[in-house]
Amino acid sequence: MSQIETFYDVMRRQGITRRSFMKYCSLTAAALGLSPAYVPKIAHAMETKPRTPVIWVHGLECTCCSESFIRSAHPLAKDVVLSMISLDYDDTLMAAAGHQAEAALQDTIEKYKGNYILAVEGNPPLNEDGMFCIVGGKPFVEQLKHAAEHAKAVISWGACASYGCVQAAKPNPTRATPVHKVITDKPIIKVPGCPPIAEVMTGVITYMLTFDRLPELDRQGRPAMFYSQRIHDKCYRRPHFDAGQFVEAWDDENARKGYCLYKMGCKGPTTYNACSTVRWNEGVSFPIQSGHGCIGCSEDGFWDHGSFYNRVTDLTQFGVESNADKVGLAAAGVVGAGVAAHAAISALKSAQKKTQSSKEEV
Amino acid sequence: MSEKSIHEANPDVEILKAATLTGDATAEDLDSIRRRTSVYVYETPVRLWHWINALAILVLCGTGWFIGNPPPSMQIAEATHQFVFGYIRFAHFAAGMILTVGFLGRIYWAFVGNHHAKQLFILPVWNKHWWSEVFFELRWYLFLEKEPKKYVGHNPLAQAAMFFFMTLGITFMIVTGLALYSEGAGQGGFWDSLFGWVIPLFGNSQALHSIHHLGMWAIVIFMIIHIYAAIREDIMSRQSMVSTMISGTRTFKDDRPE
């Protein structure tokens, strides 16, 4: 395998002159508020720092993460793959196949021990010794553990790798398990979503390359810069929510006017993602903008939290159709009836007592 | 006694034995009872808290119901000038804050207030007399006892209900409620750093919403039982109930010693 190109090499290869490169370095220093003394330092770093090798493995998944990733506009996925990172193994995107592909994986692991990033799309099923997902003739869980052993950090792409997604939904017959429950000794960045937004995916990688460290993570291990606010917090239909103007049925006048989809079970208020700001397909739209509520695909266990079309979650523990209101109302009804019966018996008892004592007096 | 009293005291008669053994009645209470047939139980801050708390809970239940099941869409003005759902949520948050501050004040009063102000926070589970009185009170509610006993503060069964539904229940609702509030207030902020950890504890925000919602129903059930029991005891027990939470004074209807 050839020596990995530096950023400078890539820029020169793309036709940028040395002069333009130096201008770029001065501009970067100025933009970052650094003194002119930093210009040669930046230039030096760009000239010497090799691009980060990335191994991208696929477990139980539908490739929607890859499909999303290659549609990134800012930065373009081609820039990320061809210029910024060195994507050494990705059986979906790479030219090599079969033994050559597996050899590339082994090569990368050995050559860059402790320096490569492992990106995981999908998750390993653990039932039947992992036989529900076979990669290169072996259970995926073995490939995952092998590749993770010497990784610098692990990126969990999508709801599958982060939380389990549909294959881990109840009753989870293959025991599909999120990556962080299998790999416990590496820093893991969860980038949930089904799929994650393209720009979020490339944004996370760009951050890690630019600053050479993990992005700031929230309590659940998601990059705070994309997952610290709910869809609801930045939703353009929020004024209708605050006004109390809701879509009452899918084909009503309010739906045509673009009112809030809260009553249609929109999970925007409980979903942390950047859809309402970054949007999808080069910022064209996102589910709520196209008239459908958010289904909360970037939340833990979103398949098991009731219907996509209810605001109050179904509590299947109490029967298929029940929810907090139905359970509560039933319980309150039973208690109310009990209280009424108790009051009736109490009244009867004391009436009985009165007649008895008046008889005794007589 | 030097002065003449209209209430003849019987110094050698043991009074309110059960209540003394469970730790409900203090020596001062017994003294008061020997002289008067009423005793001052709930001090002003306790009564004030009770009614503010009751009002806050009513507002919280009403607005909370609407937050889960919004009222029909209203077309009063442009969305910019209309804030119907916003006001409902504001009322919920405001009442929640009042409830929280009130509850903190109530905890403070448990330290500086009288003996009965502590009853809400400590169940004397180590006291076997207390347990036998819990069962006695249970039998009274099951119509197996002819007559209830006299209690100065809460009867042991009521005390247990208060502890689980109010002390623990309100704490649970405050913590989950403020965790939900922290979502709107923004990550990294004051409320998030205090209560944000609660959300992953329940899986995700939607699950926390459900559990907070169920909590409301638990409180509604408590309200039904509480109001029923207070009125029933006011009529059928041997002491005042409803007026005690207004005046603070517990009046006994008879002068029998137990």
Side-chain angles (χ1 to χ4, degrees), chain A residues 269-296:
Chain A
T270 53
T271 304
Y272 288 82
N273 209 334
C275 301
S276 49
T277 42
V278 178
R279 308 196 182 188
W280 290 77
N281 301 320
E282 299 183 39
V284 171
S285 184
F286 72 113
I288 294 167
Q289 196 172 344
S290 63
H292 190 285
C294 164
I295 63 170

Side-chain angles (χ1 to χ4, degrees), chain B residues 234-253:
Chain B
D234 204 60
I235 300 165
M236 297 183 66
S237 79
R238 293 160 62 196
Q239 60 242 312
S240 65
M241 278 285 150
V242 180
S243 63
T244 310
M245 207 24 103
I246 298 168
S247 67
T249 311
R250 176 91 65 216
T251 314
F252 293 98
K253 297 175 189 173

Side-chain angles (χ1 to χ4, degrees), chain A residues 154-193:
Chain A
V154 179
I155 302 178
S156 285
W157 284 142
C160 299
S162 303
Y163 300 126
C165 204
V166 64
Q167 61 271 40
K170 284 168 198 159
N172 191 2
T174 65
R175 202 147 79 81
T177 309
V179 170
H180 64 96
K181 288 185 181 160
V182 177
I183 309 299
T184 47
D185 56 347
K186 297 280 171 191
I188 291 179
I189 304 144
K190 290 182 197 158
V191 187

Side-chain angles (χ1 to χ4, degrees), chain A residues 218-220 222 224 227-230 232-233 238-248 254 257 259 262-263 267 269-272 299-302 305 310-313 315 318 323-329 331-333 335-336 338-347 349-350 353 356, chain B residues 65-80 82-87 89 140-143 146-148 180 182-188 191-200 202-207 209-211 213-214 216-217 220-222 224-225 228 232 236:
Chain A
D218 70 0
R219 283 189 189 83
Q220 299 194 35
R222 306 171 291 196
Y227 293 93
S228 61
Q229 280 187 318
R230 301 169 297 174
H232 188 61
D233 294 322
R238 180 66 187 262
H240 291 295
F241 171 84
D242 289 328
Q245 296 173 330
F246 304 102
V247 174
E248 305 279 346
N254 293 0
K257 282 181 183 162
Y259 282 1
Y262 188 73
K263 279 191 181 178
K267 299 293 186 292
T270 53
T271 304
Y272 288 82
E299 284 297 307
D300 193 356
F302 79 101
H305 285 283
N310 289 340
R311 239 339 281 175
V312 183
T313 302
L315 300 169
F318 300 95
N323 62 30
D325 284 330
K326 287 177 184 166
V327 170
L329 209 56
V335 171
V339 160
H342 198 270
I345 299 170
S346 303
K349 276 266 176 188
S350 51
K353 211 167 148 190
Q356 273 175 356
Chain B
W65 168 265
F66 278 130
I67 289 170
N69 308 274
S73 297
M74 274 168 243
Q75 204 60 256
I76 302 163
E78 277 288 306
T80 322
Q82 185 179 327
F83 204 61
V84 173
F85 206 55
Y87 283 130
R89 293 174 70 246
W140 158 243
Y141 275 103
L142 291 172
F143 307 105
K146 274 219 164 68
E147 194 172 47
L180 293 173
S182 81
E183 295 197 284
Q187 269 186 18
W191 297 109
D192 177 64
S193 45
L194 276 182
F195 296 99
W197 55 271
V198 178
I199 302 167
F202 289 91
N204 66 27
S205 167
Q206 182 73 13
H209 276 80
S210 295
I211 208 110
H213 203 128
L214 280 174
M216 174 198 83
W217 283 107
V220 167
I221 288 168
F222 170 78
I224 296 172
I225 297 172
Y228 168 66
R232 181 182 189 268
M236 297 183 66

Side-chain angles (χ1 to χ4, degrees), chain B residues 30-75:
Chain B
L30 301 183
D31 248 18
S32 165
I33 288 165
R34 282 181 192 285
R35 277 182 282 110
R36 333 187 279 192
T37 49
S38 73
V39 53
Y40 188 56
V41 186
Y42 299 128
E43 296 157 292
T44 313
V46 174
R47 275 136 54 207
L48 210 61
W49 171 74
H50 174 270
W51 294 110
I52 289 173
N53 203 39
L55 215 64
I57 287 174
L58 277 184
V59 173
L60 283 163
C61 286
T63 53
W65 168 265
F66 278 130
I67 289 170
N69 308 274
S73 297
M74 274 168 243
Q75 204 60 256

Side-chain angles (χ1 to χ4, degrees), chain B residues 11-226:
Chain B
D12 32 286
V13 175
E14 263 192 283
I15 58 170
L16 264 58
K17 201 172 160 201
T20 312
L21 287 171
T22 58
D24 172 40
T26 61
E28 299 97 275
D29 293 336
L30 301 183
D31 248 18
S32 165
I33 288 165
R34 282 181 192 285
R35 277 182 282 110
R36 333 187 279 192
T37 49
S38 73
V39 53
Y40 188 56
V41 186
Y42 299 128
E43 296 157 292
T44 313
V46 174
R47 275 136 54 207
L48 210 61
W49 171 74
H50 174 270
W51 294 110
I52 289 173
N53 203 39
L55 215 64
I57 287 174
L58 277 184
V59 173
L60 283 163
C61 286
T63 53
W65 168 265
F66 278 130
I67 289 170
N69 308 274
S73 297
M74 274 168 243
Q75 204 60 256
I76 302 163
E78 277 288 306
T80 322
H81 304 294
Q82 185 179 327
F83 204 61
V84 173
F85 206 55
Y87 283 130
I88 291 176
R89 293 174 70 246
F90 175 78
H92 192 79
F93 300 148
M97 289 299 172
I98 289 170
L99 179 105
T100 305
V101 171
F103 191 63
L104 290 177
R106 184 64 184 78
I107 291 172
Y108 167 75
W109 196 255
F111 288 102
V112 300
N114 70 9
H115 171 76
H116 303 288
K118 296 171 179 64
Q119 255 192 327
L120 216 55
F121 299 96
I122 304 155
L123 289 186
V125 286
W126 57 87
N127 185 333
K128 67 175 191 290
H129 296 290
W130 185 80
W131 280 107
S132 76
E133 292 307 311
V134 168
F135 290 113
F136 175 86
E137 197 63 17
L138 262 176
R139 286 199 302 278
W140 158 243
Y141 275 103
L142 291 172
F143 307 105
L144 299 174
E145 291 288 342
K146 274 219 164 68
E147 194 172 47
K149 286 183 184 169
K150 285 179 176 177
Y151 301 98
V152 179
H154 295 295
N155 74 59
L157 186 64
Q159 189 188 355
M162 289 291 168
F163 180 78
F164 286 109
F165 278 98
M166 279 291 110
T167 312
L168 297 187
I170 291 278
T171 305
F172 180 80
M173 291 308 269
I174 287 174
V175 170
T176 54
L178 287 176
L180 293 173
Y181 183 74
S182 81
E183 295 197 284
Q187 269 186 18
F190 174 75
W191 297 109
D192 177 64
S193 45
L194 276 182
F195 296 99
W197 55 271
V198 178
I199 302 167
L201 217 62
F202 289 91
N204 66 27
S205 167
Q206 182 73 13
L208 186 61
H209 276 80
S210 295
I211 208 110
H212 189 70
H213 203 128
L214 280 174
M216 174 198 83
W217 283 107
I219 286 178
V220 167
I221 288 168
F222 170 78
M223 257 159 53
I224 296 172
I225 297 172
H226 175 66

